Amino acid sequence: SILDSLVKLILIAAIIAATIFLGIKTHEIYRNKMLEKSLKTAHSIEEVAELINSMLSESSPDSISIMVEGVSESELEDINRYISTTSGSIESFEITKNNKKRNKVKFIIRKNETTYVYDCLKNGTPIPGNNEMAIILYNKIKEITGTVIKRGMTDYQKELALHDYLVSNCTYGFGSPDDENEFRAYGALIDCEAVCSGYTEAMTLLLTDAGIKSEIVIGDAGNEHHAWNMVYLNDKWYHLDATWDDPKGMNIISHAYFNISDDEISKDHSWIKDHTRTAADDDMEYFNHSGLVARTPEELTIIATNCYRNTTSDFFEVAISDIESDLSECINDFMNAIGKYTISYSIIERTNFKILIFYK
């Protein structure tokens, strides 16, 4: 009958629809499984950060998905403490339970002023016209490099000039959670107050505009989380920590952490060395490069006297190495040479030498 035929057609159509639906679902499941297999797997929060940093350096995605094993959700919540924020930061993440051991995690990328300026300086990508803070930061970068960098400067001289500008014009902040600028280059260069990530971002932007390659290192120093730069000069990498060259409350420009090696900075900094460049040499280290290392009491008197007489600032630095004589006696010889009865100084202990900071 017509009714029976109609019922059969409806059943056939339902079967066909169900088959198509199951086929689509099966294909989606298969595709998702294949996609998950293609995703890289991280086994620690440091490896998660390394993968994110690598992907952000290659492109500017809105999200990143990776497989995570052995990393807790609370560790993932601190991911921004481990990634190089010049390429973006993590706004949020979503965990998809895959099994007890491995989870798929999707990270949503947030761009900030530093991100836009860095992309513009490095790749020529226009800054969005509605991002006023990024435009202000970009103009400040151009103003600084245009002022402190002179024609004929070597990359070392450019780096030194930019380092000294930053340390001289920025004050270490309190890291208030309510003031994101303190953690960004904007805080360091516009507000003139920042924590280590702000110093490091600012140094990265300045070096990038000067045509000097650099990278950000995430680790620990002084019993707290810390960030600093590595700089590439003459086919070699060196550590540069502008934050620690700006001692709190001292109003000086130090160079104790300017272009130092892995061995030297390891005295008070720690990081996962397998995930960073290797800095094996100290030939571009500030004191070696500037001829400010004294190896005898006589050399200390000569170098310190020259610095005292020729330095226009209220302080100067001298490094001493392999001097076995009593330091106080060496300082007395220097004071006699300049005709003073007393002089204030502080000491920064390094691995290969001591740094003396004299205050006029």
Side-chain angles (χ1 to χ4, degrees), residues 9 53 73 187 191 259 273 319 343:
L9 287 173
N53 283 331
E73 186 170 350
D191 299 335
N259 290 353
K273 295 180 176 63
I343 191 167

Side-chain angles (χ1 to χ4, degrees), residues 11-249:
L11 287 173
I12 292 171
I15 292 171
I16 293 172
T19 302
I20 294 173
F21 177 77
L22 289 173
I24 293 173
K25 285 297 181 183
T26 301
H27 176 71
E28 288 180 354
I29 292 172
Y30 175 78
R31 185 186 62 182
N32 289 337
K33 288 291 184 182
M34 291 299 100
L35 286 175
E36 287 183 358
K37 284 186 177 181
S38 68
L39 294 178
K40 295 181 179 180
T41 300
H43 300 87
S44 68
I45 189 64
E46 290 83 7
E47 288 186 5
V48 172
E50 184 179 18
L51 289 176
I52 293 175
N53 283 331
S54 176
M55 295 178 191
L56 288 177
S57 67
E58 295 172 358
S59 60
S60 300
D62 295 325
S63 66
I64 289 175
S65 294
I66 60 176
M67 302 303 294
V68 174
E69 183 175 343
V71 182
S72 67
E73 186 170 350
S74 61
E75 287 180 296
L76 292 175
E77 289 173 352
D78 285 337
I79 186 61
N80 280 322
R81 296 177 59 189
Y82 295 85
I83 67 172
S84 174
T85 52
T86 51
S87 297
S89 57
I90 304 302
E91 184 173 59
S92 63
F93 63 88
E94 177 185 356
I95 299 176
T96 302
K97 298 292 182 180
N98 192 41
N99 57 47
K100 291 183 178 179
K101 291 186 177 180
R102 298 174 76 239
N103 295 320
K104 178 182 176 182
V105 183
K106 180 179 180 180
F107 296 93
I108 305 301
I109 308 303
R110 175 179 177 269
K111 297 181 179 180
N112 55 51
E113 291 73 36
T114 300
T115 310
Y116 289 116
V117 174
Y118 180 70
D119 195 20
C120 179
L121 294 173
K122 185 179 180 183
N123 305 312
T125 306
I127 297 173
N130 61 351
N131 195 319
E132 184 179 352
M133 291 179 68
I135 294 172
I136 291 173
L137 179 59
Y138 174 85
N139 290 336
K140 187 65 176 181
I141 294 290
K142 289 296 183 180
E143 175 191 328
I144 295 168
T145 55
T147 301
V148 306
I149 294 179
K150 309 301 181 184
R151 185 186 299 273
M153 275 187 169
T154 65
D155 282 349
Y156 173 91
Q157 292 170 329
K158 293 176 184 177
E159 177 200 3
L160 180 60
L162 294 172
H163 164 276
D164 288 0
Y165 174 90
L166 178 60
V167 174
S168 177
N169 288 277
C170 185
T171 301
Y172 192 83
F174 296 98
S176 170
D178 298 326
D179 185 4
E180 185 182 352
N181 286 349
E182 283 194 18
F183 298 85
R184 304 275 80 88
Y186 193 96
L189 298 176
I190 305 300
D191 299 335
C192 299
E193 184 173 310
V195 295
C196 63
S197 57
Y199 278 80
T200 305
E201 283 188 3
M203 203 71 229
T204 299
L205 297 181
L206 292 168
L207 290 168
T208 300
D209 193 41
I212 300 172
K213 186 177 181 180
S214 69
E215 293 184 359
I216 292 177
V217 182
I218 306 295
D220 294 282
N223 297 317
E224 60 185 13
H225 203 64
H226 191 54
W228 64 96
N229 297 94
M230 291 193 77
V231 180
Y232 192 63
L233 297 175
N234 297 338
D235 299 324
K236 297 177 184 177
W237 287 94
Y238 305 89
H239 291 273
L240 171 66
D241 192 341
T243 309
W244 277 44
D245 274 346
D246 192 4
K248 297 179 183 178

